[in-house]
Amino acid sequence: MSTLEQAPENPLVEGLERLPVAPTTLVIFGATGDLARRKLLPALYNLAHEGALPERFHLVGVSRKEKERDDYRAECEQAIRSFSRRPPDEDVLAGLLAHVKYVPGTFDDDRVYRELAFVLDRFDERAGEPLNRAFYLSTAPEFFPVIVEALGAQDLNRHAGAEVRVIIEKPFGTSLAEAAELNRRVLDVFDESQVFRIDHYLGTETVQNMLAFRFANGLFEPLWNRNYIDSVQLTAAEDIGIGSRAGYYDHSGALRDLIQNHMLQLLCHVAMEPPVNFTAEEVRNEKVKVLQAIHAPTEVDIPEMAVRAQYAAGHAGGEDVPGYLAEEGVREHSNTETYAALRLEVDNWRWAGVPFYLRAGKRLARKITEIAITLKPVPHLAFDQSGSLGIRPNQLILTLQPNEGVTLQLGAKIPGTRMLIRPVNMEFLYGTAFLSQSPEAYERLIMDAMRGDPTLFTRNDEVEAQWEICDPVVRAWEADPGPLPQYDAGSQGPAEVAGLLREGHTWRAI
């Protein structure tokens, strides 16, 4: 048995073996793109290293660039060596690359799909049985319906005796109408059970652990409601600018890029009710209920509950950096936001009256993604606060990046002869608690897609419910030419965002 075929016990992949992974051929459309190089290929290598890939596994890259199979294998090897979270083992790497094929051509060329069908059939013949097929769409969004419909035209959406699945990257539409139309076109070819709409945030350990944290610990559930929780803040801050992504980002912006998908999914995990069981459909049913309880904002509401801004020139990362409008590839007088913030309410029995603050932005003071849950202050404070560093409401902070973990902020006495109180932190960090490196999100998500477990993927009604919340804001902002408020690169963000907060609330420092 080769290194690739072995499945040793390993705490890193604990839980990956919940369901067997059938022999599978994975096809990556956009196989020479940045996502494939930086994330998908390293994820496949690390799964191979852990023995988590099925015994018979094949990888087919599809891209418009003409190249020989050996050239593509060399590119795969270089990507893995450059971006894997661990130094490659030569035997494992060779075993993985031995199962790689390449099909060149444009995504609207029928010959590509005929050649792809031939390659897939040859794998089946060699295996002596039909292999499962998974098609990963790592392309620009305009090619999603093109590829899906071409797969259907070549009857590659079904495979007798095996399963066929399609994995679709974000963004899933740029508006409610586009998302609904894309859903219609995809579901004309594939059944919903075959479709895996990927959101890599949901593959992180902290997001998955949020369910365990909430529903495996009786300590927190009695407090997890409007009677004890004062507010919830969700932050996705980056310290970098748009880099070379102007072509995409200048037509997207922070609201579409992060809030509509990633951050609303995080909100769902915080606010959802306990599912009857942890099957995919029950978990996703509860998330949809949360989204349906958030009322779509009206035109009158938007100025009071949404803020946008652009970064200006400033100092970040130890150097002077340009403002957004001076970045290469950005349209002159662009009104695309690099910072977006919303105040939302989940109007149900558990959460009525609790504000959920969401913010996402680029060129901020530091890179951090976190969820901060602030409890209500104690009803009566018997301590003399003079000389104390401040008695603050308890906070529970779940950090997704850069250091995954959970922090509980408490008030404690300062050592000495006086009763002086200061905030202290109780911390749980994945790296130190388990003495192992967490898998990358794409490792878990690729495995779940090949296994056919959609729990961490977004269902069609979830996507449309998310757009129903954000679409009115998108339309209102597009109708207003600006200019947008500015904030200095490397700062905390625009001053205008303070207007979203209710009395007594403050934004956590980034």
Side-chain angles (χ1 to χ4, degrees):
M1 182 177 291
S2 70
T3 306
L4 183 63
E5 295 168 349
Q6 295 172 358
E9 292 184 2
N10 190 302
L12 262 180
V13 290
E14 186 177 355
L16 290 179
E17 59 279 358
R18 290 173 296 118
L19 294 171
V21 185
T24 299
T25 300
L26 175 65
V27 180
I28 299 178
F29 288 90
T32 59
D34 199 52
L35 176 63
R37 290 178 57 251
R38 291 177 174 271
K39 296 296 183 182
L40 305 185
L41 291 169
L44 290 170
Y45 166 77
N46 282 293
L47 290 171
H49 186 279
E50 300 298 342
L53 290 180
E55 182 177 339
R56 287 188 292 277
F57 174 80
H58 302 278
L59 174 64
V60 181
V62 181
S63 186
R64 67 178 182 273
K65 296 178 181 178
E66 288 288 340
K67 61 178 82 254
E68 297 297 324
R69 182 180 67 177
D70 288 345
D71 293 334
Y72 179 61
R73 285 179 176 173
E75 289 184 12
C76 292
E77 179 179 352
Q78 181 58 44
I80 291 167
R81 292 188 185 279
S82 299
F83 300 112
S84 171
R85 62 183 171 87
R86 56 158 63 88
D89 178 284
E90 298 302 325
D91 291 337
V92 175
L93 183 57
L96 177 64
L97 296 176
H99 299 269
V100 171
K101 296 280 188 180
Y102 183 74
V103 176
T106 58
F107 302 135
D108 58 355
D109 186 347
D110 291 342
R111 292 173 297 178
V112 171
Y113 300 90
R114 289 195 293 269
E115 174 66 17
L116 178 60
F118 174 77
V119 170
L120 297 177
D121 289 342
R122 287 291 302 275
F123 286 147
D124 290 351
E125 290 170 10
R126 292 174 186 172
E129 64 175 328
L131 305 180
N132 283 0
R133 296 170 179 177
F135 300 103
Y136 197 119
L137 276 53
S138 175
T139 69
E142 60 263 29
F143 293 117
F144 295 165
V146 174
I147 295 170
V148 165
E149 289 169 353
L151 291 171
Q154 294 294 326
D155 295 324
L156 291 171
N157 57 328
R158 301 288 185 272
H159 190 34
E163 299 289 335
V164 179
R165 301 179 179 109
V166 60
I167 307 164
I168 303 177
E169 269 289 343
K170 79 171 189 76
F172 200 89
T174 63
S175 66
L176 175 59
E178 279 190 23
E181 175 63 11
L182 181 54
N183 266 331
R184 184 192 66 77
R185 294 175 71 174
V186 170
L187 296 177
D188 279 348
V189 178
F190 292 94
D191 297 331
E192 176 62 33
S193 62
Q194 297 176 278
V195 181
F196 292 74
R197 301 168 189 83
I198 200 165
D199 182 340
H200 72 269
Y201 269 40
L202 301 189
T204 61
E205 287 293 330
T206 308
V207 173
Q208 296 171 63
N209 199 52
M210 196 182 305
L211 298 178
F213 182 83
R214 285 195 56 196
F215 304 131
N217 296 289
L219 174 65
F220 298 103
E221 182 57 26
L223 308 178
W224 212 262
N225 56 62
R226 60 187 174 83
N227 295 322
Y228 296 95
I229 291 179
D230 189 49
S231 64
V232 180
Q233 283 187 30
L234 298 95
T235 300
E238 295 181 275
D239 56 0
I240 59 173
I242 60 167
S244 60
R245 299 177 68 214
Y248 160 74
Y249 197 89
D250 200 42
H251 293 86
S252 173
L255 183 67
R256 288 186 175 109
D257 189 47
L258 280 171
I259 291 181
Q260 181 274 328
N261 38 67
H262 300 326
M263 300 193 74
L264 284 179
Q265 282 291 318
L266 297 181
L267 186 156
C268 287
H269 279 73
V270 173
M272 64 185 282
E273 294 295 322
V276 174
N277 53 57
F278 276 91
T279 60
E281 288 311 297
E282 290 297 335
V283 170
R284 298 198 291 182
N285 286 345
E286 296 301 334
K287 290 197 292 178
V288 169
K289 290 177 185 177
V290 172
L291 294 169
Q292 290 173 340
I294 301 173
H295 298 301
T298 66
E299 187 175 344
V300 175
D301 296 330
I302 290 168
E304 302 298 322
M305 53 74 64
V307 166
R308 58 176 174 162
Q310 284 178 347
Y311 63 80
H315 194 76
E319 60 182 22
D320 293 328
V321 295
Y324 179 73
L325 294 176
E327 297 276 18
E328 184 177 352
V330 172
R331 296 167 295 168
E332 187 179 8
H333 307 306
S334 170
N335 69 340
T336 298
E337 77 283 356
T338 62
Y339 182 105
L342 303 180
R343 185 185 68 240
L344 301 175
E345 287 192 25
V346 180
D347 193 14
N348 61 17
W349 188 277
R350 182 185 290 265
W351 295 106
V354 177
F356 286 74
Y357 302 112
L358 288 70
R359 57 177 172 169
K362 290 188 174 293
R363 282 284 186 226
L364 294 169
R366 65 180 174 127
K367 177 183 179 69
I368 184 143
T369 302
E370 68 173 22
I371 302 165
I373 296 146
T374 303
L375 275 66
K376 291 185 176 180
V378 293
H380 171 67
L381 193 60
F383 300 110
D384 179 7
Q385 295 195 63
S386 61
S388 296
L389 297 182
I391 299 176
R392 304 171 189 168
N394 301 121
Q395 281 193 321
L396 180 67
I397 300 139
L398 300 101
T399 305
L400 280 72
Q401 58 181 8
N403 299 311
E404 292 180 292
V406 181
T407 301
L408 180 60
Q409 190 176 91
L410 307 170
K413 178 185 176 296
I414 301 172
T417 57
R418 299 176 59 195
M419 182 60 75
L420 302 179
I421 309 296
R422 62 161 289 180
V424 297
N425 292 334
M426 295 177 62
E427 289 190 321
F428 154 65
L429 299 176
Y430 283 93
T432 55
F434 296 110
L435 301 178
S436 62
Q437 189 179 28
S438 296
E440 292 283 345
Y442 279 99
E443 295 172 34
R444 173 63 185 268
L445 295 172
I446 289 171
M447 283 299 296
D448 278 1
M450 291 195 297
R451 187 185 290 115
D453 181 352
T455 305
L456 299 177
F457 297 84
T458 311
R459 203 167 59 191
N460 60 332
D461 54 345
E462 280 185 81
V463 170
E464 294 183 24
Q466 289 170 192
W467 272 116
E468 285 175 358
I469 297 165
C470 292
D471 200 54
V473 182
V474 169
R475 286 188 279 108
W477 286 355
E478 287 182 341
D480 182 358
L484 272 59
Q486 303 284 296
Y487 61 96
D488 292 339
S491 70
Q492 294 289 313
E496 289 80 358
V497 77
L500 297 184
L501 298 172
R502 291 189 180 163
E503 185 177 356
H505 293 172
T506 58
W507 288 107
R508 281 176 53 81
I510 294 174

